[in-house]
Amino acid sequence: MIAVLLFFEFAIWMACLVHCQARRQLSVLQPVTILLAYHFLFHLMKPALWYFFDHNHAFEYMKFYPNEEEATNSILISIVGLLTSYLGYTFFFSYSNASIQRRLAPAINGARVPSAARILILLTLTVSFIAFVQRVRGYLGSDEGFQLVQDARTGNFGFSQGSGWWFELSSAYVFCALYLWMASRFSRSWTIAVCVLGSFWLTLGSSRFVFVYAVITGSILFVLRSGFNIRKFLLLLPFAVMLIVAFVVLGQNRAAIREMVFDTSSTTRPTDEWKRVSPFDTLDMSTFEVQTAAISIVPRLTDSYTYFTEHVRLLTEPIPRALWPSKPFGDPIKTIEINRFANMVTLSTGWYGQGWLSFGLVGVVATCLIYVMLSSFILRTLLLNIGPNAAFAYTVLIPLHLQWMRDGVLVSVTKFTLFLTLPAIVSAVVGRQSSRSKSRTALARHASGSSRPPV
């Protein structure tokens, strides 16, 4: 039954892919392409690897071993989520590849940034890099929002607190460098600066996926700059291979690199006890496995759903604890505790899984539609108000859909959106203030001229 369902899901995915190509929307510039790519890798390949090749390291980590019925239900939910999300994008985001390129390319290639904005972005880059160094050295703590506690009943470890909102400022410096690279018309000096700063995050940073988003954003900017010249695009392939190798090899040994650079030692966390057989046995993307466990456990064992209360965190988490000492840790409203039944520490639910946690099948459909509508609205707004800042934000948000589809919650992608588009926000604010100042000066001159008596 599972094999038949997987082939059926693949047939549906292929139909969506062909339809997407017919609509001329199969491109790295399209959110629907990110959806199809993500679904293929983590909702098709993952269950296929598990079922046909016994690739079950994520299930072993979770201490959850699904039966055929539970896996079947998860595949069915994946199909529902794919169809809902794809049809949503078909209806709400109809821009073709050519129309997006016509809007983005001139804005990126003709980017002119005022000197005041450049200075402020450089200052932001500096502050962010200082925060990055402090984060690596541990001066900001090991993210005070992440404290592990052991469940007395199951022995599993879970987070007692939510992540700090302002802690992600340390990721902004890479994207400040990318923005200044774009503003410098892709000069060689800023090309070198981007590569050096990006390598710091790859080898020392706490989240490899910020590096992934930066590489994809930089690649989109480069492709738009080169006018989709296939020869120039092929030049990226050797670098892509090297980046993938560095991502895998260095990504598994960043603690050792930090110790070598800063002459410190890392503390062992309970989640480090799991031994990976291969560097490719990573839990970074275990969307299908987590979704399978969530569908099996909720509401059968929890007697409840979250009823979308996890999104209340959007309102509570940005408030500093200094202003609200009694602010609840993590989700302000806790209706279920899934870690009592499976070890999901450090794992993410994804769009479909988060929808199921919210309210079962209805939650899956509602979550996918709401997320697609929100994504389409933001991207359409940027394309309709195109300029260097909007174009840069667009190239950042497209790869950031990977984070959104992995985590499944709005609070995570909102944090990343805020800090990764920070240079564009700074430039937009400076530009608006400059325009207002010029308007006031022009009005003052006009008023003084009209008040003079005629000669």
Side-chain angles (χ1 to χ4, degrees):
M1 181 63 180
I2 292 178
V4 173
L5 267 180
L6 285 174
F7 282 114
F8 178 63
E9 182 182 5
F10 178 72
I12 293 175
W13 180 86
M14 278 298 300
C16 293
L17 188 73
V18 171
H19 183 258
C20 185
Q21 174 62 24
R23 286 169 54 87
R24 300 184 179 181
Q25 289 188 315
L26 195 62
S27 163
V28 72
L29 301 175
Q30 298 275 0
V32 68
T33 302
I34 303 296
L35 168 71
L36 292 174
Y38 189 93
H39 188 96
F40 177 78
L41 290 174
F42 306 111
H43 290 277
L44 267 172
M45 290 299 295
K46 273 300 195 77
L49 288 172
W50 164 74
Y51 184 72
F52 294 111
F53 302 100
D54 197 31
H55 189 75
N56 63 347
H57 64 277
F59 286 128
E60 291 176 352
Y61 172 83
M62 291 190 292
K63 301 177 184 178
F64 173 83
Y65 304 94
N67 55 37
E68 184 169 344
E69 181 184 357
E70 291 167 334
T72 298
N73 291 337
S74 183
I75 295 172
L76 288 172
I77 290 301
S78 293
I79 294 173
V80 172
L82 171 62
L83 288 174
T84 305
S85 302
Y86 183 79
L87 292 174
Y89 273 124
T90 300
F91 184 79
F92 293 111
F93 195 81
S94 57
Y95 286 92
S96 67
N97 299 330
S99 63
I100 294 176
Q101 182 186 352
R102 283 196 299 268
R103 287 170 169 81
L104 293 181
I108 289 171
N109 294 327
R112 289 181 174 83
V113 182
S115 299
R118 290 177 187 249
I119 293 172
L120 284 177
I121 293 172
L122 275 172
L123 180 62
T124 304
L125 186 154
T126 303
V127 173
S128 174
F129 188 75
I130 292 172
F132 166 74
V133 173
Q134 291 178 330
R135 176 175 180 170
V136 172
R137 292 180 64 96
Y139 290 162
L140 294 180
S142 56
D143 194 345
E144 295 181 355
F146 284 114
Q147 293 186 5
L148 289 168
V149 294
Q150 190 172 22
D151 188 280
R153 288 174 50 191
T154 65
N156 292 334
F157 288 87
F159 291 131
S160 66
Q161 302 181 4
S163 63
W165 184 276
W166 309 115
F167 193 70
E168 297 300 338
L169 173 64
S170 57
S171 60
Y173 79 89
V174 181
F175 289 82
C176 288
L178 281 172
Y179 185 92
L180 292 171
W181 179 52
M182 178 190 75
S184 70
R185 306 292 181 88
F186 304 92
S187 66
R188 292 182 179 180
S189 58
W190 271 107
T191 301
I192 296 172
V194 166
C195 293
V196 171
L197 292 172
S199 68
F200 288 154
W201 190 276
L202 172 64
T203 56
L204 304 173
S206 301
S207 170
R208 286 184 295 160
F209 283 93
V210 170
F211 176 79
V212 173
Y213 308 145
V215 169
I216 297 176
T217 298
S219 300
I220 294 174
L221 291 172
F222 176 83
V223 169
L224 289 170
R225 170 67 174 176
S226 62
F228 284 91
N229 186 318
I230 190 64
R231 293 181 179 179
K232 293 183 179 180
F233 184 72
L234 289 175
L235 292 175
L236 294 174
L237 292 182
F239 295 102
V241 174
M242 290 188 288
L243 289 172
I244 292 172
V245 172
F247 180 82
V248 173
V249 177
L250 294 177
Q252 305 302 320
N253 299 283
R254 284 173 299 159
I257 296 171
R258 277 198 296 270
E259 292 173 12
M260 178 181 66
V261 173
F262 294 107
D263 192 25
T264 58
S265 59
S266 302
T267 57
T268 302
R269 289 162 53 119
T271 53
D272 294 331
E273 295 175 0
W274 176 59
K275 302 298 182 183
R276 282 177 268 204
V277 178
S278 160
F280 291 99
D281 286 346
T282 173
L283 293 175
D284 286 329
M285 294 289 196
S286 299
T287 309
F288 170 76
E289 293 89 336
V290 175
Q291 174 183 297
T292 303
I295 293 171
S296 174
I297 294 169
V298 179
R300 183 174 61 89
L301 298 178
T302 60
D303 297 322
S304 178
Y305 295 104
T306 64
Y307 303 108
F308 303 96
T309 55
E310 63 272 18
H311 301 302
V312 178
R313 226 169 131 182
L314 275 170
L315 304 176
T316 61
E317 194 169 294
I319 303 174
R321 198 165 295 280
L323 301 178
W324 185 8
S326 60
K327 183 177 74 169
F329 294 113
D331 295 334
I333 303 173
K334 197 77 171 177
T335 59
I336 62 174
E337 182 50 70
I338 200 169
N339 274 342
R340 291 183 178 274
F341 310 101
N343 180 26
M344 295 192 183
V345 176
T346 74
L347 302 183
S348 304
T349 55
W351 277 18
Y352 316 153
Q354 191 60 48
W356 181 270
L357 290 177
S358 297
F359 198 50
L361 183 60
V362 174
V364 173
V365 174
T367 297
C368 291
L369 283 178
I370 292 171
Y371 283 4
V372 166
M373 290 172 64
L374 183 60
S375 163
S376 301
F377 172 76
I378 294 172
L379 295 178
R380 284 201 316 268
T381 301
L382 292 174
L383 290 174
L384 291 173
N385 298 276
I386 202 63
N389 299 321
F392 181 81
Y394 188 96
T395 62
V396 172
L397 291 180
I398 286 295
L400 203 53
H401 278 70
L402 293 170
Q403 175 89 22
W404 196 357
M405 292 171 186
R406 182 192 73 165
D407 290 353
V409 289
L410 286 174
V411 67
S412 172
V413 73
T414 302
K415 282 192 293 187
F416 274 91
T417 298
L418 172 64
F419 291 113
L420 301 191
T421 60
L422 194 57
I425 295 173
V426 170
S427 180
V429 171
V430 171
R432 179 169 294 184
Q433 292 298 325
S434 176
S435 298
R436 288 180 178 178
S437 177
K438 290 179 180 179
S439 297
R440 290 172 183 171
T441 302
L443 287 173
R445 288 177 178 175
H446 178 75
S448 61
S450 60
S451 62
R452 292 177 183 174
V455 178

